[in-house]
Amino acid sequence: MRLFRPPRRPAVLAWGLAAGFAALYTCVAVNRYRRGLSKAYDLGIFEQAIRAYTHGQAPIVPLKGPGYHLLGDHFHPLIAVLAPVYRLFPGAVTLLVAQALLMALAVVPLTRWAYEAGGPRVALVIGCVTGASWGIVRAASDDFHEIAFAVPLLAFAAAALGRRRHLAAALWSLPLLLVKEDLGLTVAAFGLLIARQARRGRPGPLPGLVLAGVGLAATVLTVTVVLPSFNPHGGFDYWQQLDGGGRPSPWSLAARIGWPPIKWLLLFLLAATAGFLGLRSPLVLLCVPTLGWRLLSANPHYWGVSYHYSAVLMPLVLAALVDALTRTDPRRARRALAVSALVAAVTVPVYPLHEVVMPEAWRTSPRLAYTRALLGSIPDGATVAASNRLAAQLTGRATVTLVCQAPTGPGPEWVVVDRTDPSVQAPCATADTARMLVEYEQRGYRRVVDQDSLLLLRRP
């Protein structure tokens, strides 16, 4: 007797799984925010930008610096579509819920395509693996990022491409140009694969080549013209992360691809998520642009599996798996699905999705209650300099800067710091925070609270 039988209607299965994972992502993300684990970098930054969009203003983000225009950092104007929702429900939680819904949406096209390819059981496995995939789970629980829009767009575009629906694949991929500047290269990859698939049919490869040209031109334009025009330094801030601050030789760039070994873990996990069988699909080539800049970068944050950068790769490797399933024998298909499901199961305890069933994650400690009361004493509309995690709790109702930034004018009305914040090393080094606290007190700021490693200063 079967304990569970997947629904016979693919839409019911796909949307049901998406709704379930959206609820899980929301629970984890909102609870982490409630516990004070969210950070100014990046939740606070994006809330300040969307808050500005809500009032019809340019996305000036004080957390990045005085008068800093966020479109000079990364090109992500698509986040402005959240402004009407934020106006109705102002607060960081709105961004977290929106991200949960967007990322869960990636389950739908992959589940429906898997249903066509292998039936309800295959669709159930692919849907669950997509929702529980380590890259998406990590991103959905880690503050808010613009790639929340990219994840479902990539899923719909890759599924359409796998079904040989070229127009749909092109239309789903084009909005990626408004999500982040590097995704234009991924759009170009879609165009090249469309051209490859259509080379013997009508209208031929030309539409795909045009799409590839548009994607490449968009990336070049945004990186060399648009971003520098908004950037306070007049350039693209991330070139130095590619060249390491110098002029690397082609040999040194090639050596970066496979060293240090943490990059091998990234590549292995991606291949295992695709059940290794997905490596046979041309769709896996869609990962090359993102993997290229990550592996060539001198920034170690891009190399591993600990941040949100792998979320955009999950729908691509799983689309490659589904595509490969349609061209292999049942025995290999079952083995590949088992490997992919095993990776998802093994990584669940490592990434924050497991917090849903951890009682300690839902408790309110005395220190957490005291921290909330402390922040509640800061009035709405105030100007505040705060440490990284505390800043994320205030951006929805105050003008917030980081405590390590040199104050402008008379300085903020309030300064609030959590000395136990483990994230203070970046973007604020501990020494910089300590130096600024001394400067504030020399300016006459009065200590209102200094208890349990929490410090609240008020301007005289």
Side-chain angles (χ1 to χ4, degrees):
M1 180 178 178
R2 295 177 183 173
L3 297 178
F4 177 76
R5 180 175 297 175
R8 290 295 177 183
R9 296 176 62 184
V12 173
L13 177 60
W15 287 101
L17 287 174
F21 280 109
L24 289 175
Y25 300 159
T26 299
C27 285
V28 172
V30 174
N31 189 46
R32 289 175 70 84
Y33 176 76
R34 179 192 70 86
R35 292 158 59 199
L37 300 180
S38 299
K39 301 176 288 294
Y41 274 53
D42 293 303
L43 179 60
I45 287 174
F46 282 106
E47 184 174 12
Q48 287 185 335
I50 293 173
R51 189 180 179 192
Y53 282 133
T54 299
H55 295 94
Q57 301 169 354
I60 303 301
V61 176
L63 282 167
K64 292 285 288 184
Y68 193 100
H69 197 300
L70 198 59
L71 290 182
D73 184 48
H74 289 298
F75 187 70
H76 39 50
L78 194 59
I79 65 172
V81 302
L82 294 178
V85 182
Y86 186 89
R87 191 173 186 86
L88 293 174
F89 306 101
V93 170
T94 296
L95 275 62
L96 298 175
V97 173
Q99 177 169 260
L101 296 175
L102 286 166
M103 291 198 171
L105 195 58
V107 171
V108 175
L110 295 175
T111 302
R112 299 194 70 162
W113 182 24
Y115 200 106
E116 294 176 8
R121 293 183 182 177
V122 172
L124 179 63
V125 173
I126 292 296
C128 289
V129 168
T130 302
S133 60
W134 51 276
I136 291 179
V137 168
R138 185 67 181 90
S141 60
D142 184 27
D143 297 338
F144 176 90
H145 299 92
E146 69 280 90
I147 53 96
F149 288 93
V151 171
L153 288 171
L154 288 166
F156 278 100
L161 183 58
R163 291 158 150 173
R164 306 300 194 269
R165 298 176 181 176
H166 297 158
L167 178 59
L171 293 177
W172 281 114
S173 67
L174 280 172
L176 293 169
L177 301 177
L178 304 178
V179 176
K180 201 177 178 187
E181 63 278 358
D182 66 285
L183 289 172
L185 300 178
T186 303
V187 173
F190 271 101
L192 292 175
L193 287 181
I194 289 173
R196 178 180 179 274
Q197 288 183 359
R199 64 186 183 277
R200 291 193 180 94
R202 300 181 67 181
L206 183 58
L209 294 176
V210 170
L211 180 65
V214 168
L216 180 60
T219 291
V220 172
L221 182 65
T222 54
V223 169
T224 61
V225 178
V226 178
L227 289 169
S229 68
F230 290 109
N231 189 279
H233 307 110
F236 180 52
D237 285 342
Y238 297 90
W239 282 128
Q240 61 183 353
Q241 296 191 5
L242 183 61
D243 61 21
R247 290 184 175 271
S249 67
W251 297 110
S252 64
L253 283 176
R256 283 186 195 174
I257 294 177
W259 195 262
I262 186 64
K263 297 177 181 179
W264 307 346
L265 174 62
L266 170 65
L267 296 175
F268 174 80
L269 268 181
L270 289 171
T273 300
F276 297 107
L277 183 67
L279 300 182
R280 298 185 176 186
S281 168
L283 295 185
V284 79
L285 295 175
L286 296 170
C287 298
V288 170
T290 297
L291 281 176
W293 69 258
R294 287 181 62 183
L295 297 180
L296 290 174
S297 172
N299 186 342
H301 291 162
Y302 297 152
W303 303 339
V305 296
S306 299
Y307 295 94
H308 62 280
Y309 303 109
S310 295
V312 296
L313 299 175
M314 297 295 101
L316 300 180
V317 297
L318 289 167
L321 173 57
V322 177
D323 184 50
L325 291 175
T326 63
R327 295 193 299 270
T328 192
D329 61 86
R331 184 178 178 182
R332 286 183 177 177
R334 287 194 294 269
R335 189 162 55 220
L337 287 170
V339 170
S340 186
L342 179 62
V343 171
V346 168
T347 54
V348 163
V350 179
Y351 292 91
L353 199 63
H354 70 280
E355 293 179 3
V356 173
V357 295
M358 292 176 59
E360 58 270 26
W362 296 92
R363 297 192 182 107
T364 301
S365 66
R367 189 176 191 276
L368 177 58
Y370 181 74
T371 303
R372 287 184 192 167
L374 176 69
L375 296 177
S377 66
I378 299 174
D380 293 352
T383 55
V384 187
S387 54
N388 196 18
R389 286 184 172 177
L390 296 183
Q393 303 289 319
L394 295 166
T395 48
R397 62 183 186 88
T399 300
V400 186
T401 58
L402 288 172
V403 68
C404 58
Q405 295 173 355
T408 58
E413 298 168 284
W414 300 84
V415 177
V416 60
V417 173
D418 182 356
R419 296 190 182 97
T420 65
D421 184 350
S423 66
V424 295
Q425 295 297 329
C428 287
T430 303
D432 291 335
T433 299
R435 175 177 53 81
M436 288 307 305
L437 289 176
V438 171
E439 180 175 332
Y440 280 123
E441 295 202 274
Q442 289 175 346
R443 286 184 172 214
Y445 279 67
R446 179 173 58 87
R447 292 196 180 197
V448 180
V449 174
D450 187 358
Q451 180 178 336
D452 201 9
S453 298
L454 293 166
L455 178 63
L456 178 65
L457 306 179
R458 185 174 184 178
R459 190 178 69 196

